[in-house]
Amino acid sequence: MEPLTLNSQTQALFSAALQAKLDAKVAKYETRRASILEVLHLIMEEKGHIALEDEKNVAQYLSIPPIDVREVMTFYTLYYDKPKAKTRFNVCRTLACHLTGGDELLKYLEEKLGIHEGQMSKDGKCSLKTVECLGACEIAPMMQINDHEYAGNLTKEKIDELLKRVKCEA
Ligand code: FES
C-alpha cells in the first residue's frame, strides 16, 4: 500500500481549507491515485472549475503523471476546465444518438445558440459541447442539461421549447 503521508511541497498547492478537505478525503483511500475523482470533485466545489494549473497541482498532490489527470478530466462530463456557463448543453455524439439524427440537432443548436460546439456564449449564459454515450441510448437522440437533467427523443421543436425555458437563444 502507498503511504498517505504528504511531503512539504504539497502544502502550498491549494488553500489551507481546501488542503484540509483533500487530505481528509485522500486518507480514506488505500492509494492516493484512487482518490482522484473525489479530489477533483472537491476542487470543482470550491472553485467552480479546474484550471490547468490545478490539474498539475492534483497530479503533484497525488504523485501521478499530469496526463492521468487530463484523461479523467476529459472522460467525465462533470469536470470543467473553464468557468461554467449557467446552462450547459452536453449533446451525445455516440452511435445511437448519431444514427438517430444527433448531428443535425447539434447543428440546429449551434444555429439557435449562435455558438459552435466547445464554446460558451459571450454573456456566459450557455455553453455547448459533445460528449460520449451518457447511458440513455433508449431515448436517443439525447443531451444532458447541466449535471442532472436528460432531454431525450429530441426534435427541433423540443429544442425550441427547451431553449425558451432556460432562456438560451442567440
Ligand atoms: S449513444 Fe447517446 S446516450 Fe448512448
Side-chain angles (χ1 to χ4, degrees), residues 19-114:
Q19 186 73 59
K21 285 185 197 171
L22 294 175
D23 290 348
K25 198 60 86 175
V26 170
K28 293 183 180 159
Y29 287 85
E30 277 202 22
T31 65
R32 297 179 70 71
R33 172 186 290 275
S35 67
I36 187 167
L37 298 182
E38 296 239 41
V39 164
L40 292 173
H41 180 73
L42 284 173
I43 295 172
M44 281 281 298
E45 216 174 63
E46 167 133 331
K47 302 187 172 193
H49 72 286
I50 300 165
L52 194 57
E53 193 56 33
D54 283 319
E55 273 189 43
K56 289 182 194 159
N57 289 342
V58 168
Q60 189 180 335
Y61 176 60
L62 297 178
S63 306
I64 60 177
I67 187 68
D68 291 5
V69 183
R70 185 93 284 258
E71 280 174 1
V72 172
M73 287 286 298
T74 52
F75 183 80
Y76 292 99
T77 58
L78 71 164
Y79 299 124
Y80 290 83
D81 58 8
K82 295 185 185 69
K84 288 192 281 186
K86 185 164 182 278
T87 305
R88 302 170 299 280
F89 298 104
N90 298 326
V91 179
C92 176
R93 63 175 168 225
T94 312
L95 193 61
C97 291
H98 173 72
L99 292 175
T100 50
D103 292 355
E104 196 186 331
L105 293 173
L106 175 65
K107 274 194 199 124
Y108 187 65
L109 267 165
E110 287 181 325
E111 276 167 31
K112 297 291 283 189
L113 295 172

Side-chain angles (χ1 to χ4, degrees), residues 92-98 132-142:
C92 176
R93 63 175 168 225
T94 312
L95 193 61
C97 291
H98 173 72
E132 298 302 331
C133 179
L134 289 165
C137 315
E138 70 283 2
I139 57 166
M142 63 81 64

